Amino acid sequence: MAQDAREPGKQELPTEEELTRAGLRLAVEGAVARITISRPERRNAMTGRTWTTLAHIGQALPGDVRIVVIAGEGDIFSAGIDLNMFTPEGVDGERSIVAGLADGSADEADLDAYISELQQGFLWLRRPDLVTIAAVRGHAIGAGFQLALACDLRILADDARFCMKEPALGLVPDLTGTKPLVDIVGVHRATEICLTARKVGAEESRELGLATLVVGVDELEGAVDDAVAGLMATNPDAAVATKALLQQAAGNTLEEQCAAERKAQVGRLTALAKAMAPGA
Ligand code: ACO
């Protein structure tokens, strides 16, 4: 289940100190929030704290934010999970993923709950009240690929490389990436990409529909700004209703989807009529 929508004013955004400890930067300007994965000395590898802090950002974003852009610091999106998370020591005092199972202090249910908590950092990016954009330079490996898959749009520099590395490490992709991957490329191509753990370059990503757009490295920032401007030009309420409608389409029969379209449109027309009424 996706997270509940934000409740403005109910929760403060993470402090600068919390963001730094999570390897993140955040800039909110009006309707646009920009999140940067920022651990350049670890190739922007992410930890459990990165994802719980992402979830916190999602809950606390001001109510007028419509667009979220996620990028990596420097010339890489992210090297995926910080591999030290799999060591008994973990990372900077963070809980190790394996230590509890190894010493018997955690059981399978504890681990399931922990992974569920981490998945929250990815799920909120699907919320209909936001449009989320991954701006990808260089590698997006494992959890980095899954983070890009959690976004609505993926704008890639031509040096971008996606890689679902987990199976090569004896793991499965568990940070919400398998569904969007299959939705976009189909189960057969997804199987090949995951089970070979090969790198998928920018041009192939465009052909497969994984990339919304591929541009030169120097053009990435401008292409993201153009996409943001284009999205901002749309009526905000219609954007929310349309994203919600599109998200249902794959799971609905044609009849159900037609009913959903009618319901959403009645809501829109009612709102527009109210706005046009004399004295409104
Ligand atoms: N976790 C922890 N440290 C990392 C990670 C990572 N995922 N990736 C890179 N680093 C560290 C390296 O250990 C190295 O540290 P050092 O300077 O102390 O030796 C530093 O970042 C630079 O790494 P290089 O490998 O030298 O950088 P390069 O640019 O040559 O390669 C690349 C980048 C391709 C991302 C490579 O580092 C890599 O393959 N990393 C591992 C990717 C991986 O397996 N991620 C886990 C996927 S599974 C999942 O995400 C759930």
Side-chain angles (χ1 to χ4, degrees):
M1 276 276 285
Q3 273 192 333
D4 291 342
R6 64 204 135 158
E7 294 182 75
K10 288 239 166 139
Q11 197 173 350
E12 298 289 328
L13 283 165
T15 62
E16 284 302 322
E17 193 194 334
E18 286 166 337
L19 288 165
T20 302
R21 273 164 61 80
L24 294 170
R25 289 194 286 113
L26 172 68
V28 181
E29 276 179 46
V32 184
R34 292 176 192 269
I35 298 171
T36 307
I37 311 161
S38 182
R39 288 180 82 217
E41 72 290 355
R42 286 276 165 263
R43 295 292 186 269
N44 299 335
M46 300 177 284
T47 69
R49 188 177 283 135
T50 311
W51 301 320
T52 53
T53 305
L54 275 177
H56 179 170
I57 292 172
Q59 282 171 329
L61 277 179
D64 54 358
V65 170
R66 296 178 56 192
I67 316 262
V68 176
V69 179
I70 304 187
E73 180 91 50
D75 60 5
I76 182 168
F77 186 72
S78 171
I81 194 168
D82 188 317
L83 292 167
N84 294 308
M85 292 286 289
F86 297 118
T87 64
E89 299 78 29
V91 179
D92 292 340
E94 272 192 64
R95 167 183 179 160
S96 155
I97 287 182
V98 289
L101 281 184
D103 67 18
S105 62
D107 61 17
E108 290 179 7
D110 294 328
L111 195 51
D112 183 277
Y114 180 54
I115 296 171
S116 173
E117 194 186 336
L118 302 184
Q119 287 172 334
Q120 299 303 317
F122 297 70
L123 286 172
W124 68 276
L125 295 161
R126 279 94 167 172
R127 280 199 338 234
D129 57 320
L130 299 170
V131 182
T132 51
I133 304 174
V136 182
R137 271 206 66 184
H139 284 97
I141 300 183
F145 187 12
Q146 296 190 68
L147 187 60
L149 283 165
C151 292
D152 296 308
L153 312 183
R154 282 159 293 283
I155 301 183
L156 270 54
D158 54 16
D159 67 349
R161 301 276 176 279
F162 286 135
C163 172
M164 202 65 93
K165 184 79 175 284
E166 287 82 345
L169 302 175
L171 303 166
V172 300
D174 65 345
L175 294 168
T176 79
T178 57
K179 183 158 176 54
L181 182 63
V182 169
D183 287 347
I184 296 167
V185 304
V187 68
H188 304 292
R189 178 61 70 189
T191 302
E192 182 266 325
I193 287 172
C194 292
L195 301 199
T196 61
R198 72 177 172 89
K199 292 182 179 171
V200 180
E203 194 48 39
E204 184 184 357
S205 295
R206 195 185 55 73
E207 285 163 13
L208 290 173
L210 285 168
T212 316
L213 182 67
V214 176
V215 296
V217 166
D218 295 339
E219 296 157 11
L220 183 60
E221 214 177 296
V224 171
D225 288 346
D226 288 349
V228 169
L231 291 161
M232 288 293 292
T234 305
N235 175 296
D237 297 322
V240 175
T242 303
K243 182 170 168 185
L245 195 55
L246 295 172
Q247 284 180 323
Q248 301 170 48
N252 275 350
T253 62
L254 180 60
E255 195 177 42
E256 288 164 342
Q257 188 66 7
C258 285
E261 287 177 0
R262 292 195 301 274
K263 185 164 183 234
Q265 194 70 304
V266 169
R268 287 284 63 239
L269 289 167
T270 305
L272 291 173
K274 266 192 197 150
M276 283 188 290

